[in-house]
Amino acid sequence: MFKIDLSKERLSQEEIKTLEEMWRRCARRIILSTTLAGCGHPGGSLSSLHMLILLYALIEHDPKNPRFPERDRVVISHGHISPGVYSVLCEYGYFPEEPFLMEFRRAGSAFGGHVEQSVPGVEWNTGNLGQGLSAACGMARALKLKEIPRRVFCVMGDGEQQKGQVIEARRFAVKFGLNNLCALIDYNRLQIGGRIYRVMPQDIAHEIKATFWNVIEANGHDFNDLYQALRRFVTGEVLCPEKPTAILAQTTMGKGISFMEDDEKWHGMALPPDLAKKALEELGFDPSEVDVLLEKRKSYEISFPVFPHEPEPVEVEVGEPILYGPEVKTDCRSAYGKALASLAELNNKKGEPPKVLGVSCDLEGSVKMTAFRKISPLAFHEVGIQEHHAATVAGVLSKEGFLTFFSTFGVFAVDETINQHRLNVLNETALKIVATHCGLDVGEDGPTHQCVDYLGLLLNLIGLEIYFPADPNQTDRIIRYVAKSKGNVFVGMGRSKLPVILNEAGEPFFGKDYVFTPGKADLLREGEEGTIIAFGSVMPQVLSAWEKLKSEGVSVSVLNMASLRPLDEKAILNAAEQGPIMVVEDHVVETGLGSLVAKTLAKHGQSAKLCLKGVTRYGTSGKPADLYREQGLDADSIVKDMKELLA
Amino acid sequence: MFKIDLSKERLSQEEIKTLEEMWRRCARRIILSTTLAGCGHPGGSLSSLHMLILLYALIEHDPKNPRFPERDRVVISHGHISPGVYSVLCEYGYFPEEPFLMEFRRAGSAFGGHVEQSVPGVEWNTGNLGQGLSAACGMARALKLKEIPRRVFCVMGDGEQQKGQVIEARRFAVKFGLNNLCALIDYNRLQIGGRIYRVMPQDIAHEIKATFWNVIEANGHDFNDLYQALRRFVTGEVLCPEKPTAILAQTTMGKGISFMEDDEKWHGMALPPDLAKKALEELGFDPSEVDVLLEKRKSYEISFPVFPHEPEPVEVEVGEPILYGPEVKTDCRSAYGKALASLAELNNKKGEPPKVLGVSCDLEGSVKMTAFRKISPLAFHEVGIQEHHAATVAGVLSKEGFLTFFSTFGVFAVDETINQHRLNVLNETALKIVATHCGLDVGEDGPTHQCVDYLGLLLNLIGLEIYFPADPNQTDRIIRYVAKSKGNVFVGMGRSKLPVILNEAGEPFFGKDYVFTPGKADLLREGEEGTIIAFGSVMPQVLSAWEKLKSEGVSVSVLNMASLRPLDEKAILNAAEQGPIMVVEDHVVETGLGSLVAKTLAKHGQSAKLCLKGVTRYGTSGKPADLYREQGLDADSIVKDMKELLA
């Protein structure tokens, strides 16, 4: 494998010649892969190509063992340049050429249209622009935490510098001293819409310098110039060696193919076969292979194996549960904070990299992460009011072998960042999103802060587990369960203090013997005439309604649905057999638990009289009890409606 | 009403005295309102107070007619300083003091915890930080388009400068020449988490200058200094008068109350009554009113009327529909582009402000807005890869009397910006979100670009209408319908070319006589044994399955559900009466139309054998037909499953 020794001031003529030959072979693959697929992004692939080729000649990497821990990382932020990236990875021996050329952009193949970890050598799936630098920050931070003296290179487009998340990432990189991070910007001055200075005027260098990064400008098609820039980063010969570095590489879209250069048309369009032949001729290759390969592709079966990319495992101790007695009235977020602090105490040892991390966005106190931070300052990440970046960085850390908790208010942890979580899920992260301040229960902060749609939004993320505890005991148990779970998990909670839920004997329902089990509803109260299904902050209202109903001789069951995905469908079907069902939730009724219950019944061909109670209009700003009353979620309304439902 | 003449170089002693008296009265209201409510944000209210008081003395405004068109606008971006804002609006006569002090932060009141348009004088509801400058940009742009020579002032916190959306807004303001826009930043150096330079180091002035704004620094508690800064903006005595201006006002949190100053504790906490009394004493007021008012509030009934804030109306001609014959095969986005172009031709007259606006994010060509731009260049807004800012700005424009279309790919128009749309909805905007590239139909761009959850996400926005046409004819009609509709509307479409849907006689189903009606399903095919309900890009597969089933002697109906909200529940219930129901959709099955159908049945106590087909795992990168086959959404799978369902 070709490797350049960084101790030299400049490249030798021989090295340049080797790189140019590599460039020629990779350019051929870019043309072929896109023309064979009939689509893709050759323009940017060619403009980033010199950078990519040189980069892999300088970094620590091993095509035979792409994920060995002591490697340098390359994150491709403008994921559409997959033809360029795959061509270079192929050149360095990560995989043979044939499956790439034959399978690129075909259903079921590892070689997707935007870079994906299914291809060996790819570190992070990207595609939605502006998230790659956040991912790179996460990796650079992980290396620092693990004290691995390696580097992260983030190759970026120039157009995507417009995304706000990019500057959030830049600031984070400075705050956390990520001088092991280098952004390489392919500055070809074109985006889909044409000249970047017409689409959105921006002085990229100026903006980067305003966040105190080192900026090095280079000719992105001159191997020696690029080498010097990269070498300056690696050797620390920059203005501020303790800061991250950006290399602004002046490039030309479509570089190297005369009729493609500097034309945005080729940003997202493959050359038709006749032009591809012309391009191959310009590169010195036999143009006839276009037809041969086109023919071969028709019958080529998808066979290249998807490269496994599970999260790095982390083994933690979850400790003993904290028991909250009948006399306690606390909020679930405090119970979360205590459980989290105990996880830190158990797992984050002095002198070793921490195992449990916390990420928050200027709400440390509100989300009760202060005790965690005090126990384990290195493990706590205050990311500021930069939720998009925070969600991505947290996702990356969760994949890098850290049990990572991301906590902020529901509207920021879910509504504002649902797309960042979607991309985390696509990247198979293992993030624990613990959102406080869900529901009308937020109270006086009003509708902008009342997250009444967390469930409706999160159900769209395929595979995400969704839990919502009903009291401090259940919170403690769920957090400890989650600490052991492998995938992406959401745990929601409200803001208010809640009484400890008791069984009919007056003992904590979620007591010493309680073990949280996903997909299992809790039968809090047994009755005969019907069932109230509920979860979370409305449970005190429901239990109070149950008491009132009981005193009036009405006997209903109360099911607590803390596990919203997986859902206890059997419990719902059993309830339907017993009688009418009422669902009560501090959530938009159209997309919440009521909807899941109704769907469960319909799917199983079962029916029951239903009353779905939830949020039907945005809340106002007031005390939760008053907001519940406004929307019929108070105990009296529940009693009244239940009696009607049973009548 | 107190007014200062801007022709003078500096304030007179008398004016300063008047302002100081106003400050004292407003500070009292800040203390009282928060202490009476037992919560709220007094710290930032006090640090922004000098700015707010002076601002309203300089601008064109009319408390008796808060929304007259020729007014200057004040947008409060850090919406939590509502106690300060309401205190100042009260001082200027927008409303009496009593309802504010008695109702602040009480359920059902106009006086919410974050500023809301329900209070006269408030221009935009804020609360989630970092969106206010985008809103102000929208207003400044609206004034420019209408050629109204007034100004927009955006009062902001310093912490929220961290949000990426803020720099997106700054660039937009420069691109669109918004020199009528002034940002006033309350630079008290504290956020909830403490010193801003500890939470997230940032050189605010440096970053703003890097986007080529004018920056003026001032003492935020010195009326004369602030006056000079504001006057420089108004008179254009800045470095670049053609650029927007930021005033960085050095302030102190809790200013004016000795024991509150420079302590972040008072960011989001009210003074307890004893400290409130001390504060009133410091301000020279009788402390005993705290107790009097606390008592009075107990029995005070919410009575202050909510200030109406409907979108400014816009009257447009929608013209004649374009008919696509049986021979045509085009994509719905091209039909959208043509309808949009005809709207521009009809309504955007030379020499007059345009009525129809377009907003896109570096995808003009893909979303087919090019014809629109060419007809009406002034009306087209290329916002670059800055979707968060674009969504907010588009929402504001839709409220300012422009029929505004916001178009980009589904993942950007919905997933990335759902929270911006949520805040638009809370602001009662009238935005038309037309998202292309929805579903697996995106094809080779792969899972990061395949928006398979638009319906599941958008159903969470209360009141939003949701449509998804099945062919170019229906697209044309829906767009023209939407042009006349008053509220927020989503129209989704795929990427691929679709055949024109024909009736059994071979004529276009959505032909000359077709009128789109919300909440009405289209019975594309009549059958007897069961019903397939579908919408959008899968319809050709469904109709092809119908043909195959028919040829095998199986007779089913096909219902097209282009109107997803409102939903044609009657048609679903009728279908259930007829027999089994299959739902086919290019959408996550758990949150899509299938879920709505199931819920409808359960809610109405009706049941039917159901088969819900949709996306069950993230797609790969390939041709839509192959992706459909991978998930069982192709005609053959539909035929097979329908036969099983009927068996």
Side-chain angles (χ1 to χ4, degrees), chain B residues 55-101:
Chain B
L55 195 51
Y56 282 91
L58 302 178
I59 65 171
E60 280 298 319
H61 70 125
D62 180 359
K64 301 294 160 237
N65 185 12
R67 296 260 165 154
F68 77 105
E70 312 264 320
R71 72 193 184 279
D72 290 315
R73 319 293 186 93
V74 178
V75 174
I76 309 296
S77 186
H78 52 332
H80 56 267
I81 65 151
S82 55
V85 175
Y86 299 161
S87 294
V88 171
L89 290 172
C90 172
E91 180 71 25
Y92 279 91
Y94 279 81
F95 45 81
E97 182 181 284
E98 186 174 277
F100 161 40
L101 294 187

Side-chain angles (χ1 to χ4, degrees), chain A residues 106-211:
Chain A
R106 282 178 62 197
S109 167
F111 295 97
H114 288 77
V115 295
E116 291 184 36
Q117 296 177 63
S118 48
V119 174
V122 174
E123 297 277 0
W124 192 253
N125 305 23
T126 54
N128 293 186
L129 294 167
Q131 295 198 14
L133 191 60
S134 297
C137 282
M139 293 176 198
R141 174 65 179 157
L143 291 171
K144 291 270 183 188
L145 284 170
K146 294 176 190 168
E147 295 175 13
I148 297 176
R150 301 271 28 116
R151 297 177 186 87
V152 182
F153 298 84
C154 182
V155 189
M156 309 181 79
D158 49 3
E160 67 172 323
Q161 305 299 320
Q162 291 157 10
K163 276 296 277 186
Q165 188 173 334
V166 175
I167 197 164
E168 293 179 359
R170 279 193 213 120
R171 292 189 207 107
F172 175 94
V174 170
K175 175 174 177 181
F176 288 91
L178 305 182
N179 61 350
N180 56 346
L181 173 63
C182 176
L184 287 109
I185 300 170
D186 178 355
Y187 196 15
N188 62 28
R189 293 180 182 76
L190 283 176
Q191 59 192 111
I192 307 178
R195 298 284 169 207
I196 60 168
Y197 50 82
R198 284 193 198 118
V199 171
M200 188 47 65
Q202 178 184 27
D203 183 335
I204 295 174
H206 202 154
E207 283 189 11
I208 299 177
K209 285 176 187 164
T211 56

Side-chain angles (χ1 to χ4, degrees), chain B residues 23-39:
Chain B
W23 176 87
R24 207 172 62 93
R25 289 192 295 267
C26 289
R28 168 185 157 273
R29 285 185 201 109
I30 290 171
I31 299 301
L32 280 175
S33 60
T34 48
T35 294
L36 293 172
C39 58

